[in-house]
Amino acid sequence: MTEAAGPVAKRILVTGGTGLVGNAIKKVVADGEGQPDEEWIFVSSRDADLTSAAETKALFEQHKPTHVIHLAAMVGGLFKNIRYNLDFWRRNIHINDNVLHSAYEMGVQKVVSCLSTCIFPDKTTYPIDESMIHNGPPHSSNFGYSYAKRMIDIQNRGYFEQHGCRFTAVIPTNVFGPDDNFNIEDGHVLPGLIHKVYLAKQTGSALTIWGTGKPRRQFIYSLGWVPLQWEGWGTTATLQEPSAPPQDLARLFLWVLREYDEVEPIILSVGEEEEVSIREAAEAIVEAMDFRGELVFDTSKADGQFKKTASNAKLRRYLPSFQFTPFRQAVKETCTWFTTNYANARK
Ligand code: NAP
Ligand code: GFB
């Protein structure tokens, strides 16, 4: 997908443009937040397999981007990570090296890559901040993904020191929203539980929550609000008009791309006080979907990392008045999106 609204000064290539975060950025840009001097190009694995150096180079030569938002990655929830740590490491290391090196070779002015708060040390003090990435081993459940993501920070520093490149990274907490991967076995907890509630309502069965429900997470909404007439979904969702200016992760990406000048990464997170337990997250879904059945905890399943409470103090220093959509409202919108788009949702 390419969008240009005027004389183009920036050609922005978004890798992973068909995923949860890529789709949210696409919607925000399509909804009028793209600037006249920007051309946006959203690509997926169908345009190039970024584990291949040759295909990555060809993609960059085709589009000649001046800026890159690098989202493409092998992504998954706790249980997919446990099963495929080696694949997470190898694929993501190849993807990241190919993208960053092609960006360097093509003279790209700025790259914003995407890390994750799960890359921080498991044994740590809280809250976690940007200075702590390399302090100790990540949680063992996702060491492959985490070490691969940490190496982006190493490469960014290297490209800056040796070549003066402005390659940086953001560190979001657990993301959710429309266009997520709702696959129960492979996906993250919120889309997985939304899908499970949807099925449990149909069959009149209990909702099984994996683990104890005690681990804690900070969730960030991908989108902020959903345009009522977004045609890309095939169906029009019935959702609330926003009462406040739309916010959240996609808009933070636009801000980082346009205004954040550090090579050092920045955590994109709601406040520490917004952290919820998995049980509370499940209860928000139950309420949003009006599920009346029983809740069962399958404690034979892993809990994963207990918590990764992150500080958004750095973000707040830059954007003191930035507003996040309240968690329950965002969950409600996501549940509505999933039920409305069930036929076409990734699951
Ligand atoms: P997602 O929905 O799974 O989307 C992944 C994207 O990467 C898709 O567009 C996919 O293309 C593309 N991709 C995967 N392998 C590729 C390959 N070999 N070559 C080219 N493209 C490839 O992921 P997401 O949740 O939006 O995540 C976006 C970024 O945010 C990732 O870097 C992830 O690590 C990071 N992040 C995610 C979370 C979260 O909770 N979801 C939290 C923190 C950070 P296809 O559609 O063609 O498969
Ligand atoms: O989102 P999630 O899979 O990943 O959440 P992480 C896992 C937590 O939710 C664990 C519980 O405590 C699970 O026991 N849980 C309960 C469930 N029910 C379910 C369910 O139906 N599905 C899933 N998936 N979990 C991931 C990392 O960690 O965070 C990734 O492994 C990635 O690498 C992502 O970075 C952001 O938050 O534990």
Side-chain angles (χ1 to χ4, degrees):
M1 171 185 162
T2 303
E3 298 198 359
V8 169
K10 288 185 193 160
R11 290 170 64 81
I12 304 156
L13 180 71
V14 183
T15 72
T18 47
L20 162 66
V21 180
N23 265 303
I25 296 173
K26 192 187 292 180
K27 285 174 195 130
V28 164
V29 168
D31 195 49
E33 297 220 10
Q35 292 178 349
D37 65 343
E38 293 173 347
E39 179 182 358
W40 288 82
I41 304 148
F42 294 88
V43 292
S44 75
S45 64
R46 276 191 270 183
D47 299 283
D49 176 357
L50 299 174
T51 61
S52 153
E55 289 191 34
T56 309
K57 191 168 187 231
L59 182 80
F60 274 73
E61 282 170 351
Q62 179 191 350
H63 293 294
K64 298 184 175 48
T66 58
H67 294 68
V68 173
I69 294 181
H70 173 39
L71 305 173
M74 180 175 176
V75 177
L78 169 65
F79 297 94
K80 184 175 176 184
N81 273 270
I82 290 173
R83 287 196 302 277
Y84 299 115
N85 263 298
L86 175 65
D87 294 352
F88 273 96
W89 161 260
R90 294 194 67 227
R91 277 197 220 166
N92 287 333
I93 277 288
H94 287 306
I95 289 174
N96 298 335
D97 185 54
N98 290 336
V99 168
L100 291 177
H101 202 64
S102 292
Y104 159 66
E105 286 184 330
M106 291 296 295
V108 168
Q109 293 165 31
K110 186 166 180 181
V111 179
V112 180
S113 295
C114 195
L115 314 182
S116 165
T117 48
C118 69
I119 75 171
F120 285 105
D122 182 40
K123 306 232 176 321
T124 183
T125 53
Y126 300 100
I128 291 163
D129 70 39
E130 289 84 352
S131 70
M132 297 157 82
I133 296 179
H134 304 286
N135 280 2
H139 192 266
S140 58
S141 61
N142 57 191
F143 68 88
Y145 175 89
S146 297
Y147 276 118
K149 287 281 180 187
R150 281 187 188 187
M151 292 309 114
I152 290 181
D153 180 56
I154 299 295
Q155 283 195 236
N156 285 347
R157 273 199 262 163
Y159 280 114
F160 178 67
E161 285 185 16
Q162 268 184 244
H163 302 297
C165 298
R166 200 143 293 274
F167 296 171
T168 190
V170 297
I171 315 178
T173 54
N174 289 54
V175 187
F176 71 105
D179 297 300
D180 207 340
N181 178 8
F182 291 84
N183 182 282
I184 291 173
E185 296 299 324
D186 288 348
H188 291 96
V189 58
L190 288 184
L193 288 177
I194 290 169
H195 194 174
K196 284 183 188 173
V197 169
Y198 182 91
L199 297 176
K201 279 183 76 165
Q202 289 196 328
T203 55
S205 52
L207 166 66
T208 304
I209 300 161
W210 291 338
T212 61
K214 290 179 182 163
R216 302 182 68 75
R217 298 289 182 267
Q218 285 157 300
F219 292 101
I220 184 165
Y221 194 31
S222 60
L223 193 50
W225 72 287
V226 180
L228 293 175
Q229 298 298 327
W230 174 252
E231 288 171 8
W233 292 341
T235 334
T236 304
T238 317
L239 295 164
Q240 278 184 309
E241 287 283 5
S243 52
Q247 300 282 350
D248 300 293
L249 185 61
R251 283 174 179 82
L252 285 173
F253 264 98
L254 298 194
W255 169 75
V256 170
L257 182 79
R258 293 167 183 159
E259 294 181 47
Y260 179 75
D261 272 336
E262 296 184 36
V263 171
E264 292 293 316
I266 182 166
I267 291 172
L268 303 182
S269 175
V270 299
E272 293 150 57
E273 67 289 355
E274 303 293 324
E275 189 175 58
V276 295
S277 68
I278 297 298
R279 175 193 281 272
E280 289 164 337
E283 286 168 353
I285 294 168
V286 162
E287 183 188 301
M289 297 180 79
D290 194 24
F291 175 69
R292 309 279 173 91
E294 191 189 354
L295 271 53
V296 175
F297 290 86
D298 179 354
T299 54
S300 71
K301 294 274 195 178
D303 265 348
Q305 192 163 6
F306 179 64
K307 65 177 185 174
K308 34 196 172 180
T309 319
S311 163
N312 67 2
K314 182 173 182 179
L315 177 66
R316 286 284 175 215
R317 282 198 294 277
Y318 277 102
L319 299 174
S321 55
F322 189 85
Q323 296 289 315
F324 292 94
T325 303
F327 178 62
R328 281 177 181 268
Q329 182 187 330
V331 166
K332 175 85 181 151
E333 290 182 4
T334 306
C335 293
T336 304
W337 183 88
F338 180 67
T339 50
T340 310
N341 294 277
Y342 183 76
N344 298 320
R346 258 194 303 167
K347 56 185 187 308

